[in-house]
Amino acid sequence: MKILQRAKLQDIMLPKDFDTGTGQVKHLRSVFRFKMLCCTSFDSLSLQRTVVNGMKVEWKAFITNELLPVLQGVNKGVVPGFDAKIEGEAWPMRVYFDGEGIKEVEVMQTLTGDLWLACGSMGFVLFYLIVHTRSVLLSIFSLLIVILSVPLSYVASASITGSQELHVASFLSLFLIVGGLGSDVVFVFTDYWRSSGSLVKNCRDPTAPKVMRVRLTWTLYHAGKASLATSA
């Protein structure tokens, strides 16, 4: 305790409700600070940026490949030198951690893991589209258009607002668009297109350009209203 007070670290390592009388504590914090010399004021600005960017890359590689696996393994009971069978109990501590760049790496790990779920969802949606539309080409291009709506919306938003910042929530839109909000529009338009055939069933040439324009106009009007009411 004297060492902590002498180094002025008691507020950092000990909880606010720490009782100096009993000396017992259930929570304990630790702080690791790294100070590395990157450059001097005599170095050029371009050299300073190059060195700092290189250090950021090294730091990200360190927390991704070495630090995070250890910290995440501790919370799963995987601790170097600790065997639950030999000790007769599970690892009794839980580690909460935070730091520069750690949250971003954890988010990317989660998104990468969920990417396989998104691929499975796309496969199921594509299969259902083929069954419903009875056209492989239409199903593939429909799903492609649905997926392209995500980067298109980002470009449109960046052009209007002038901000190029990409939030984590933006990645979640892929699951919503592919899973339901975009795919159901395909079903609406294909069903209305089939229904439009009843308008021209008595025509001599159902494939005539004028007849196709009537069907297309009717489909866009009715399917557009239905999609605007449900997905917009």
Side-chain angles (χ1 to χ4, degrees):
M1 187 63 190
K2 292 182 179 180
I3 297 177
L4 293 178
Q5 292 177 347
R6 190 180 305 116
K8 298 181 180 181
L9 296 174
Q10 66 273 16
D11 294 335
I12 297 178
M13 301 188 64
L14 299 177
K16 295 181 180 180
D17 57 351
F18 175 70
D19 187 1
T20 56
T22 60
Q24 297 181 354
V25 61
K26 294 183 179 180
H27 307 280
L28 187 65
R29 291 191 295 261
S30 61
V31 179
F32 296 90
R33 295 172 178 171
F34 302 91
K35 294 183 179 181
M36 295 176 287
L37 178 64
C38 67
C39 43
T40 65
S41 58
F42 297 101
D43 297 326
S44 62
L45 185 60
S46 60
L47 177 62
Q48 295 179 18
R49 290 177 178 174
T50 302
V51 175
V52 171
N53 291 334
M55 295 175 67
K56 288 182 178 179
V57 172
E58 293 179 359
W59 170 252
K60 185 176 181 178
F62 168 70
I63 62 178
T64 303
N65 302 325
E66 300 185 31
L67 181 61
L68 268 181
V70 174
L71 295 176
Q72 293 172 343
V74 168
N75 290 331
K76 297 178 181 178
V78 182
V79 182
F82 180 85
D83 192 338
K85 295 181 179 179
I86 298 177
E87 300 294 337
E89 62 177 356
W91 179 251
M93 298 179 61
R94 182 168 182 82
V95 179
Y96 299 90
F97 51 88
D98 193 11
E100 178 70 25
I102 290 181
K103 184 178 295 184
E104 289 77 7
V105 174
E106 288 185 307
V107 169
M108 292 305 301
Q109 288 178 344
T110 303
L111 290 175
T112 303
D114 292 344
L115 182 62
W116 294 107
L117 300 177
C119 293
S121 176
M122 291 180 189
F124 176 78
V125 171
L126 179 61
F127 171 76
Y128 194 85
L129 283 171
I130 294 175
V131 173
H132 187 83
T133 62
R134 288 169 284 184
S135 172
V136 177
L137 188 63
L138 177 61
S139 301
I140 293 176
F141 276 95
S142 298
L143 187 59
L144 181 62
I145 292 174
V146 169
I147 296 174
L148 288 178
S149 64
V150 177
L152 178 62
S153 61
Y154 169 74
V155 173
S157 176
S159 301
I160 296 174
T161 62
S163 174
Q164 300 181 0
E165 186 176 358
L166 190 64
H167 298 279
V168 178
S170 302
F171 294 97
L172 303 179
S173 60
L174 179 62
F175 299 90
L176 297 176
I177 292 297
V178 175
L181 297 181
S183 302
D184 62 343
V185 174
V186 180
F187 303 140
V188 172
F189 273 84
T190 53
D191 289 345
Y192 270 104
W193 174 256
R194 291 171 184 168
S195 300
S196 67
S198 61
L199 301 175
V200 295
K201 61 182 179 180
N202 297 325
C203 295
R204 295 181 181 180
D205 186 7
T207 60
K210 184 177 181 180
V211 176
M212 298 300 289
R213 283 198 298 269
V214 172
R215 293 187 61 185
L216 182 60
T217 303
W218 188 88
T219 300
L220 291 175
Y221 177 75
H222 290 85
K225 288 198 305 181
S227 300
L228 185 64
T230 57
S231 300

